[in-house]
């Protein structure tokens, strides 16, 4: 007013400095909250992943990878959202509410009571809608999990869909399932929309009431216009933060269903790794004593199986499909636990042996070995602990070297998802190379030659007899030609295991 531009300039300079400081503070706050959120997300996901690795094998029997991944990503993301800036900001609103209320009561305590009357009304509204939101969110997450399972199942079964021309059937099923999810998502969104609608209506009702009552007091000379507008400004310090604070219940209605599911997941029973007795003498004597196993109450697979395998012995187990041959292997590897009976290694109950120590005893070549994304060498040297010189020798023995020259990038050829770029025989030769490289004292061959031609089958049989001397070999096979050189042959039928005697 004194036309002193220096004062204006200095004031503007201070204002610019304050703006820069404030924006810098907000930027730092965003950085801190992002780091906290990322750390929490990582810790939860890491714990869940470790849990997943140690879960019992039956957890994965009725779930595919898409369903598991969807569950982990969705629920962990929801739970980790409690560290978002919104949550902490709402807590900081408490200070604004307190200072705002003090200002309101200093100005006019009667009008302040009008503002306070809004709080219980808003709380009851949010409480009602948050319960609906929690149920809706729970149903939406569950339906999304079902859809992910269905989607992953169909992608894995793409060959059958193509062979049976199931395009229209699958498109119709997809449309029905996806529309149902979108409808549930819409319901979920509308609950939030109705929450905002009614809350805004409440806040405007309070504002209108303040204008009416304040206007009346202006007319009667009890309040000035400035006082009323000051009161309205102070009321926004209360109504806004109160709304945000109460809305935490709506926010957590998204989190609770995911948290409940995640806690249930973390409480799932893992493989028993409580044993403390380590195996020192290898290969050990293995014994199944009165072992029985059933997948469910009405389907018995094994009945009182007794089997004694001496160190360095080579045995074969034969039997029809579904007779329980692979079940014996899963029990030996402790993927399953017997319903009754005991498995011993060197006279020690295998439950008393640490899992890592126990499974180090075994190399496995299965009928359908799993190959990871990566190249051929990475799928043989899984733990990346062997020298290339040793790997080269193993490649020769296993027969992998025989087809490497036909590969576009030699050893560095990418195998694709589960080895889709390789033939069945090529995949199993990689599995043989894995087993030879691991050099475990016990080798399990579960239909290991099922994808081999006669020449490759004969070659592998020679590898078993000559390269695995001194090792215990357990062979599951349909090829009776592979029984040559075995010390003993067992046949499983109707859940019972019996040794076949030479005629």
């Amino acid at each position: 007013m004194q036309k002193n531009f220096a004062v204006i300039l200095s004031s503007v300079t201070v204002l610019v400095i304050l703006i820069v400081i404030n924006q810098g503070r907000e930027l730092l706050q965003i950085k801190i909250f992002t780091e906290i959120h990322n750390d929490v997300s990582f810790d939860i996901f890491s714990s869940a992943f470790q849990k997943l690795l140690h879960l019992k094998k039956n957890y994965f029997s009725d779930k595919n990878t898409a369903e598991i991944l969807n569950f982990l990503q969705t629920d962990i993301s929801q739970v980790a959202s409690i560290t978002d800036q919104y949550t902490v900001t709402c807590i900081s609103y408490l200070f604004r509410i307190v200072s705002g209320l003090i200002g309101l009561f200093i100005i006019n305590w009667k009008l302040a009571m009008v503002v306070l009357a809004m709080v219980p009304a808003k709380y009851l509204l949010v409480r009602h809608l948050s319960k609906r939101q929690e149920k809706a969110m729970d149903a939406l997450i569950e339906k999304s999990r079902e859809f992910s399972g269905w989607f992953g199942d169909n992608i894995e079964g793409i060959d059958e869909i193509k062979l049976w021309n199931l395009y229209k059937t699958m498109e119709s099923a997809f449309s029905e399932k996806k529309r149902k999810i979108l409808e549930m998502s819409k319901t979920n969104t509308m609950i939030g929309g109705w929450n905002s609608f009614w809350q805004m209506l409440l806040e405007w009702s309070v504002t209108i009431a303040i204008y009416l009552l304040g206007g009346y007091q202006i007319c009667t000379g009890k309040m000035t216009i400035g006082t009323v507008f000051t009161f309205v400004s102070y009321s926004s310090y209360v109504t806004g933060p109160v709304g945000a604070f109460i809305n935490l219940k709506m926010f957590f209605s998204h989190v609770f269903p995911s948290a409940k599911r995640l806690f249930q997941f973390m409480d799932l029973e893992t493989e028993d790794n409580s044993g403390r007795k380590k195996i020192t003498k290898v290969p050990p004597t293995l014994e199944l004593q009165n072992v029985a196993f059933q997948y469910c109450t009405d389907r018995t697979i094994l009945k009182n199986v007794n089997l004694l395998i001496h160190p360095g012995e080579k045995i074969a187990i034969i039997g029809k499909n579904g007779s329980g041959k692979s079940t014996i292997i899963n029990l030996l590897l402790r993927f399953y636990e017997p319903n009754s009976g005991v498995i011993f290694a060197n006279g020690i109950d295998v439950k008393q042996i640490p899992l890592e120590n126990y499974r180090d005893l075994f190399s496995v070549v299965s009928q359908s070995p799993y190959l990871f994304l990566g190249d051929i060498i990475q799928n043989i040297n899984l733990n990346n602990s062997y020298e290339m010189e040793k790997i080269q020798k193993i490649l020769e023995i296993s027969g992998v070297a025989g087809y490497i020259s036909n590969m576009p990038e030699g050893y560095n050829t990418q195998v694709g998802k589960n080895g889709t770029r390789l033939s069945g025989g090529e995949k199993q030769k990689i599995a043989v190379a894995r087993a030879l490289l691991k050099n475990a004292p016990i080798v399990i061959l579960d239909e290991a030659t099922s994808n081999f031609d006669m020449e490759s089958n004969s070659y592998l049989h020679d590898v078993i007899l000559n390269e695995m001397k001194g090792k215990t070999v357990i062979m599951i096979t349909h090829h009776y030609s592979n029984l040559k050189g075995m010390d003993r042959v067992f046949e499983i039928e109707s859940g019972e295991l019996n040794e076949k005697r030479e005629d």
Side-chain angles (χ1 to χ4, degrees):
M1 293 177 71
Q2 295 176 351
K3 299 180 181 181
N4 188 341
F5 188 73
V7 174
I8 296 173
L9 188 61
S10 60
S11 299
V12 170
T13 302
V14 171
L15 179 61
V16 169
I17 293 171
L18 290 174
I19 291 171
V20 170
I21 292 173
N22 186 59
Q23 292 305 110
R25 179 194 59 80
E26 289 191 2
L27 192 63
L28 179 62
Q29 183 174 294
I30 291 170
K31 179 177 181 293
I32 291 171
F33 279 121
T34 302
E35 288 176 350
I36 292 172
H37 178 76
N38 288 347
D39 287 344
V40 170
S41 297
F42 176 82
D43 288 342
I44 297 174
F45 218 133
S46 178
S47 298
F49 182 66
Q50 291 176 38
K51 181 76 175 185
L52 193 67
L53 294 178
H54 292 89
L55 286 177
K56 291 188 173 182
K57 191 175 178 179
N58 56 12
Y59 173 80
F60 305 92
S61 60
D62 59 348
K63 296 177 180 64
N64 57 44
T65 52
E67 185 179 0
I68 294 171
L69 184 60
N70 173 268
F71 149 67
L72 289 177
Q73 287 182 325
T74 301
D75 288 348
I76 289 173
S77 175
Q78 291 287 354
V79 172
S81 66
I82 62 174
T83 58
D84 286 346
Q85 188 170 349
Y86 174 76
T87 311
V88 182
T89 302
C90 284
I91 296 172
S92 70
Y93 281 163
L94 282 172
F95 298 101
R96 289 183 62 183
I97 293 170
V98 171
S99 61
L101 284 173
I102 292 171
L104 292 178
F105 275 95
I106 289 173
I107 296 169
N108 190 306
W109 70 270
K110 292 180 180 178
L111 287 180
M113 295 303 294
V114 174
V115 175
L116 281 179
M118 174 210 65
V119 175
K122 186 175 278 193
Y123 170 78
L124 292 173
L125 170 68
V126 171
R127 182 184 177 187
H128 170 70
L129 290 176
S130 64
K131 287 181 179 179
R132 289 183 56 193
Q133 182 102 64
E134 189 172 334
K135 289 180 180 178
M137 193 67 189
D138 193 15
L140 176 61
I141 292 174
E142 193 59 40
K143 187 61 70 174
S144 296
R145 285 180 64 184
E146 290 177 11
F147 176 77
S148 294
W150 175 87
F151 193 89
D153 186 54
N154 282 279
I155 295 302
E156 290 176 8
I158 192 67
D159 288 353
E160 298 302 319
I161 292 173
K162 290 179 180 293
L163 285 170
W164 287 77
N165 290 318
L166 298 176
Y167 305 109
K168 290 185 178 178
T169 303
M170 292 305 168
E171 286 170 8
S172 176
F174 172 85
S175 180
E176 180 183 347
K177 292 176 182 294
K178 193 61 181 176
R179 287 185 185 280
K180 180 66 176 176
I181 289 174
L182 292 174
E183 192 63 32
M184 294 174 75
S185 180
K186 177 185 172 183
T187 301
N188 207 33
T189 303
M190 286 308 298
I191 292 173
W194 280 112
N195 179 54
S196 298
F197 172 81
W198 287 112
Q199 286 203 57
M200 288 301 296
L201 204 61
L202 273 173
E203 289 182 16
W204 276 109
S205 298
V206 171
T207 303
I208 290 170
I210 291 172
Y211 280 138
L212 289 172
L213 294 171
Y216 175 77
Q217 296 203 23
I218 290 170
C219 293
T220 57
K222 294 180 179 178
M223 290 182 72
T224 63
I225 294 176
T227 306
V228 172
F229 277 104
T230 302
F231 189 91
V232 171
S233 298
Y234 266 92
S235 68
S236 66
Y237 274 59
V238 177
T239 56
V242 163
F245 193 71
I246 292 176
N247 270 328
L248 276 174
K249 191 168 181 62
M250 285 293 288
F251 173 77
F252 280 109
S253 68
H254 288 81
V255 176
F256 288 146
S258 290
K260 181 181 177 182
R261 249 183 297 271
L262 189 59
F263 290 143
Q264 287 173 344
F265 170 78
M266 296 303 288
D267 286 337
L268 288 174
E269 190 176 2
T270 56
E271 294 177 311
D272 183 8
N273 194 28
S274 58
R276 293 292 178 267
K277 295 183 179 179
K278 291 191 175 184
I279 291 288
T280 54
K281 182 184 176 183
V282 292
T285 300
L286 295 175
E287 183 179 5
L288 280 73
Q289 194 174 96
N290 298 320
V291 168
F293 181 80
Q294 54 189 42
Y295 286 108
C296 49
T297 54
D298 58 348
R299 190 187 172 203
T300 300
I301 304 299
L302 300 176
K303 295 184 288 187
N304 296 323
V305 170
N306 290 282
L307 175 63
L308 179 64
I309 306 172
H310 300 287
E313 191 174 22
K314 293 176 173 56
I315 71 161
I317 301 175
I318 61 175
K320 297 177 182 178
N321 286 334
S323 59
K325 303 186 300 296
S326 295
T327 302
I328 291 177
I329 300 304
N330 283 320
L331 288 169
L332 276 172
L333 294 172
R334 293 184 63 188
F335 289 152
Y336 300 144
E337 297 290 341
N339 296 109
S340 61
V342 185
I343 301 173
F344 295 100
N346 282 346
I348 304 170
D349 185 340
V350 294
K351 292 181 181 179
Q352 299 178 19
I353 304 170
L355 269 177
E356 289 186 11
N357 174 240
Y358 180 73
R359 287 183 180 153
D360 274 342
L361 300 172
F362 296 90
S363 289
V364 181
V365 182
S366 65
Q367 183 176 2
S368 302
Y370 188 85
L371 300 191
F372 297 94
L373 288 172
D375 59 36
I376 291 173
I377 295 298
Q378 289 170 333
N379 269 284
I380 294 173
N381 187 16
L382 289 177
N383 58 5
N384 198 30
S385 62
Y386 297 95
E387 298 294 332
M388 195 61 195
E389 184 180 346
K390 184 173 183 179
I391 296 172
Q392 289 277 12
K393 184 180 178 181
I394 294 297
L395 293 175
E396 294 290 339
I397 297 171
S398 64
V400 174
Y403 64 78
I404 285 292
S405 58
N406 300 323
M407 294 291 146
E409 297 178 54
Y411 298 127
N412 299 319
T413 299
Q414 298 293 309
V415 301
K417 184 179 182 296
N418 194 18
T420 51
R421 298 180 184 177
L422 304 178
S423 68
E426 290 168 342
K427 286 176 63 175
Q428 282 190 294
K429 286 177 181 177
I430 288 178
V432 172
R434 282 179 182 173
L436 291 171
L437 190 64
K438 187 177 181 182
N439 197 28
I442 305 170
V443 180
I444 293 176
L445 302 157
D446 188 2
E447 300 289 359
T449 61
S450 60
N451 291 311
F452 282 1
D453 54 33
M454 289 184 63
E455 184 179 351
S456 297
N457 181 48
S458 177
Y459 179 77
L460 177 61
H461 193 67
D462 288 337
V463 170
I464 294 169
L465 296 178
N466 299 314
E467 298 294 333
M468 298 181 181
K469 287 181 179 179
K471 297 180 184 296
T472 299
V473 176
I474 304 170
M475 178 186 288
I476 304 291
T477 184
H478 278 104
H479 297 288
Y480 284 79
S481 59
N482 290 333
L483 301 181
K484 183 181 177 181
M486 295 292 108
D487 297 316
R488 288 187 293 160
V489 177
F490 295 85
E491 183 175 20
I492 186 166
E493 187 176 4
S494 300
E496 297 180 351
L497 186 71
N498 296 296
E499 184 175 353
K500 284 183 68 69
R501 304 290 181 181
E502 292 186 8
D503 297 330

